[in-house]
Amino acid sequence: MQTILGANGQIGQELAKELKRNYTSDIRIVSRKAVKVNDTDTVFSADLTDRNKAIEAVKGSDIAYFTLGLPMDTDLWEEQFTMILRNVIDACKINGTKLVFFDNTYMYPQNNQVLTEQTAFAPVGRKGRVRKEMTDMLLKEMAAGTIEAVICRAPEFYGPGKTQSITNSLIFNAIKEDKKLKVPLRDNKLRSLIWTPDASSATALIGNTPDAFGQTWHLSVDDHKLTYQQFIALVSEIYGKEFRYSVIPKMAFRIGALFNKNAKELLELLPRYEYDNLFDDSQFRKRFPDFKVTTYRQGIEQIRKEQLAAK
């Protein structure tokens, strides 16, 4: 059996579909209010801050995928995220379960350097420090040989369905709501964005590749990196309509943070939009040369079709 811990979000849902499609029908869905993704799934509702519940959630699993997310609330992250991962690591050790940890890039330095699996962590802000603490915890266990685990790391998302990201919010949600598009800080810096179904497919592939364990993997992205200016030009071409956009300056975010909690939570993530975001996925591409990466054109076309179908 393969278990998904935190299956309500886009990554967890797409992962369940991919596992069913290509690997196994024996899937357990775990979340606070667990709901089946596939008809054959079993569900287990659990609060993973409870260590005993975590142990029970993983019991009988060959592989557990940690795709759990928390609301963008720094206080909550500091209170719960590390505790949850500690419980999951212990649960996997007790049950002899392999762990696939879905990670992000918040702990990386936010500058122009090329980001590889060997890049030293240099978090900016409290959320980045939480993610560093979580990843360091797992890396320590992996180095000690106490758990068989693998880390799958992805940059910012864009994609269909429930995808939540700054890019989706400021571009595709704005299109859906017939509002002016917006870009944070700079429109002339290269971005590395991952298509959410690709992130889930790559995670499933790594989780079912025994020799991939014991390592960190950067999941694959479209290697034709675009600036937001170029990205929106491509969106305009595919939608057959020229979209205007504005660039939101840092000061506007700072002012907004005084009145809006969500804006406040975004502040520490902003530096990455001042620089080229160069996410190196060459290790993955070399090991999995047949993996089909969704191009930006293909992804944008799919989002457009989804929006048209919803009208």
Side-chain angles (χ1 to χ4, degrees), residues 88-292:
V88 168
I89 290 173
D90 289 348
C92 288
K93 290 163 67 174
I94 289 168
N95 287 294
T97 301
K98 294 181 179 181
L99 177 60
V100 180
F101 179 61
F102 188 85
D103 203 4
N104 67 22
T105 60
Y106 286 11
M107 75 293 290
Y108 279 149
Q110 298 188 15
N111 54 31
N112 282 321
Q113 79 179 89
V114 177
L115 302 175
T116 72
E117 288 88 348
Q118 288 72 46
T119 298
F121 298 162
V124 175
R126 293 163 62 193
K127 282 186 281 292
R129 287 192 288 272
V130 170
R131 295 301 307 198
K132 176 182 183 298
E133 183 179 348
M134 294 171 70
T135 307
D136 281 345
M137 179 196 302
L138 181 55
L139 286 170
K140 184 177 179 180
E141 296 278 359
M142 291 164 65
T146 58
I147 188 171
E148 190 170 1
V150 64
I151 297 172
C152 300
R153 186 166 295 139
E156 183 186 335
F157 304 145
Y158 85 106
K162 293 183 177 180
T163 299
Q164 294 182 359
S165 70
I166 290 178
T167 297
N168 262 59
S169 295
L170 298 183
I171 295 177
F172 296 110
N173 291 357
I175 291 174
K176 184 177 180 180
E177 297 165 8
D178 198 26
K179 295 179 179 178
K180 188 175 183 180
L181 280 55
K182 296 178 182 177
V183 169
L185 304 193
R186 304 287 292 271
D187 67 348
N188 61 348
K189 298 299 179 180
L190 296 172
R191 310 303 309 155
S192 296
L193 302 173
I194 192 165
W195 179 247
T196 44
D198 282 3
S200 298
S201 295
T203 299
L205 174 60
I206 289 173
N208 287 276
T209 303
D211 66 13
F213 280 73
Q215 304 176 63
T216 296
W217 297 87
H218 277 189
L219 304 182
S220 211
V221 299
D222 186 346
D223 59 358
H224 296 93
K225 293 178 175 60
L226 303 176
T227 65
Y228 271 129
Q229 183 181 42
Q230 294 167 329
F231 188 84
I232 292 174
L234 181 58
V235 171
S236 296
E237 177 189 334
I238 291 169
Y239 277 73
K241 174 183 177 181
E242 184 176 357
F243 290 106
R244 295 180 175 274
Y245 67 93
S246 60
V247 177
I248 309 172
K250 186 183 296 184
M251 183 57 67
F253 280 101
R254 287 177 174 166
I255 293 172
L258 298 174
F259 309 99
N260 185 289
K261 187 178 187 298
N262 290 335
K264 183 179 180 181
E265 292 289 346
L266 283 174
L267 282 181
E268 72 179 72
L269 306 180
L270 291 180
R272 64 178 175 172
Y273 294 98
E274 295 182 282
Y275 304 97
D276 289 333
N277 180 239
L278 306 173
F279 187 80
D280 184 339
D281 63 358
S282 56
Q283 175 181 304
F284 182 96
R285 287 178 178 272
K286 183 177 180 180
R287 175 62 182 81
F288 302 104
D290 295 329
F291 186 85
K292 300 299 182 184

Side-chain angles (χ1 to χ4, degrees), residues 55-71:
I55 294 169
E56 192 176 350
V58 171
K59 187 176 181 180
S61 306
D62 299 312
I63 303 170
Y65 299 84
F66 187 101
T67 63
L68 185 145
L70 291 177

